[in-house]
Amino acid sequence: MTIRYNLKWPHLVAAVIILIAIIAICLPEAQNSAEDKNEPQITPSPYLTPVNEEDAPDQMNTVAYYQDDNGYLVPVMRTIGAEEGIARATLNLMIKSVYNDMEAARMGLRCVIPENTKFDLDISGGTARVDMSKEALNSPDAVSEFNMVSAIVQTLTDFPTVERVKFLIDGKETQRLPFGTGISGEFTRGYMNLESTDLSDPDSTVTLYFTGESPSMIIPVTRAVYGKGDIQTAVMELVKGPGSLSPLNSVIPSGCGLKSVRVEDGVAYVDFTRDFISIAEESDGGRMALRALVLTCMQFEGVKSVKVLVEGEEYDTGKGTLAKPTFVNSASDIQDAFIRKKTEDIFEFE
């Protein structure tokens, strides 16, 4: 094995590593400094719970949506200061700015709302009325424009008090955005990352979970299917993996087959062929694969937990690996994995 090397290479490596360290250390300090200068009024949110009631009573977990390099929307759990108007604060995380762009870049993601966009947000009677400033018209392309609208709807309908979202631009109802995305009427929670399909008249859809470029990032995908969109269909489609042209990665080991899926007393029993045990050979011990499986199963009403079988025998997946996730992705996990991957990419082995 040889390593590419020249006299400038050590300096480049050192510079990049130092830069990563500076970003990782200074950004949180910059955020804390900014918060000290403009300390928010702390009001417990009726929607979300504190990160830790004893250690961090003034912080909340919330879910923001970003875009990856392939145009997929990615939900990410972020921790922010508890303040009145947590929904608006969550939207503000997704607006392009020097700080927000850097935070997104540390995860290998991009913000979805154009720079300097401002919101007037009113939530009443289950409807969130979102009045955006004219800067919201500045999306760079059709995909980003569509993702901005989808991300705002997904973000707001994550809150139990919001069932519908209505858009205004500078106080006026608008039919379409510059690239053609319709924003008239009211929006309910819709499909995320809907796959293109050859099905002429699908019967239903299921949500599947695959990994992206970073193995620590799970991306939800909506797939149209024939027949019932039930748990058996969903797990079968998960085993099939992403579409042939998709840049996403399957979470189920290659060659693994599905023997059966049944639900009894709120427990989903998923029986795989013996090839499934190869997930233990993955770098994370199969943790992300199991997380994706649980998320896929628990989208169905009545499913409270998941058990994995291999050839009919219960398979020990390890403590906590089949627990119900409270979020799809964690910002800290994605950031750590992304920086680690980029650091490894600096060293090119032949």
Side-chain angles (χ1 to χ4, degrees):
M1 178 182 293
T2 60
I3 303 177
R4 295 179 181 174
Y5 179 85
N6 59 47
L7 293 178
K8 296 181 180 179
W9 186 244
H11 301 287
L12 177 60
V13 173
V16 172
I17 292 177
I18 291 172
L19 177 61
I20 292 173
I22 291 173
I23 291 173
I25 294 172
C26 292
L27 276 176
E29 293 179 355
Q31 181 185 23
N32 292 336
S33 175
E35 289 175 352
D36 290 341
K37 293 178 181 178
N38 186 22
E39 185 176 352
Q41 195 70 24
I42 303 301
T43 304
S45 167
Y47 311 126
L48 305 176
T49 56
V51 175
N52 184 301
E53 293 183 359
E54 295 180 357
D55 298 335
D58 60 345
Q59 291 186 318
M60 293 287 178
N61 289 334
T62 188
V63 178
Y65 290 78
Y66 299 89
Q67 177 178 312
D68 73 359
D69 288 341
N70 295 305
Y72 289 102
L73 273 184
V74 182
V76 179
M77 189 275 288
R78 299 286 307 275
T79 300
I80 62 176
E83 59 181 281
E84 188 174 4
I86 192 72
R88 186 198 305 273
T90 305
L91 292 179
N92 287 339
L93 293 173
M94 296 155 25
I95 299 173
K96 292 176 187 258
S97 68
V98 173
Y99 180 76
N100 284 349
D101 288 349
M102 185 66 74
E103 285 289 280
R106 289 173 65 187
M107 297 184 286
L109 299 171
R110 304 176 186 178
C111 294
V112 295
I113 301 175
E115 188 176 8
N116 297 322
T117 299
K118 296 177 177 59
F119 296 98
D120 181 9
L121 179 62
D122 176 70
I123 299 175
S124 177
T127 299
R129 178 181 174 275
V130 185
D131 189 354
M132 302 188 293
S133 63
K134 62 182 179 182
E135 285 80 9
L137 303 175
N138 296 333
S139 292
D141 51 56
V143 171
S144 298
E145 182 182 88
F146 179 82
N147 279 345
M148 174 188 70
V149 173
S150 298
I152 292 172
V153 173
Q154 295 290 137
T155 298
L156 293 176
T157 54
D158 275 334
F159 293 90
T161 55
V162 178
E163 298 176 359
R164 301 167 298 278
V165 178
K166 181 176 179 60
F167 289 95
L168 301 173
I169 302 293
D170 272 347
K172 300 178 181 178
E173 294 190 10
T174 303
Q175 293 294 312
R176 295 188 177 278
L177 298 178
F179 286 97
T181 304
I183 59 168
S184 62
E186 294 183 340
F187 290 74
T188 56
R189 193 171 183 86
Y191 303 132
M192 271 194 67
N193 301 319
L194 181 63
E195 286 185 333
S196 58
T197 177
D198 295 330
L199 302 183
S200 58
D201 188 19
D203 297 316
S204 54
T205 61
V206 292
T207 301
L208 313 173
Y209 295 84
F210 301 116
T211 55
E213 180 181 354
S214 169
S216 66
M217 184 187 301
I218 292 180
I219 299 177
V221 171
T222 302
R223 177 172 295 176
V225 296
Y226 285 133
K228 294 181 179 179
D230 54 17
I231 187 172
Q232 289 82 3
T233 301
V235 177
M236 186 181 302
E237 295 296 328
L238 184 71
V239 171
K240 287 182 181 178
S244 58
L245 300 179
S246 172
L248 302 181
N249 303 303
S250 179
V251 296
I252 302 299
S254 176
C256 178
L258 178 65
K259 296 177 70 67
S260 66
V261 180
R262 71 181 193 277
V263 179
E264 296 178 1
D265 298 326
V267 181
Y269 295 88
V270 185
D271 192 359
F272 292 103
T273 60
R274 189 161 300 279
D275 297 282
F276 182 82
I277 62 177
S278 64
I279 66 163
E281 300 172 2
E282 297 176 14
S283 58
D284 68 343
R287 183 176 61 88
M288 296 303 284
L290 294 170
R291 187 183 188 87
L293 174 64
V294 172
L295 286 166
T296 298
C297 290
M298 288 196 174
Q299 69 186 280
F300 297 97
E301 187 176 356
V303 177
K304 299 178 181 178
S305 63
V306 177
K307 287 191 176 182
V308 172
L309 309 177
V310 172
E311 301 291 350
E313 299 292 330
E314 189 167 337
Y315 178 70
D316 183 6
T317 59
K319 184 178 180 181
T321 54
L322 294 177
K324 181 179 180 180
T326 55
F327 49 84
V328 177
N329 295 297
S330 164
S332 58
D333 289 345
I334 297 176
Q335 288 174 356
D336 291 345
F338 181 75
I339 292 176
R340 186 166 56 248
K341 181 178 184 301
K342 289 303 179 183
T343 303
E344 292 171 354
D345 288 346
I346 293 173
F347 300 92
E348 296 182 27
F349 292 91
E350 292 183 341

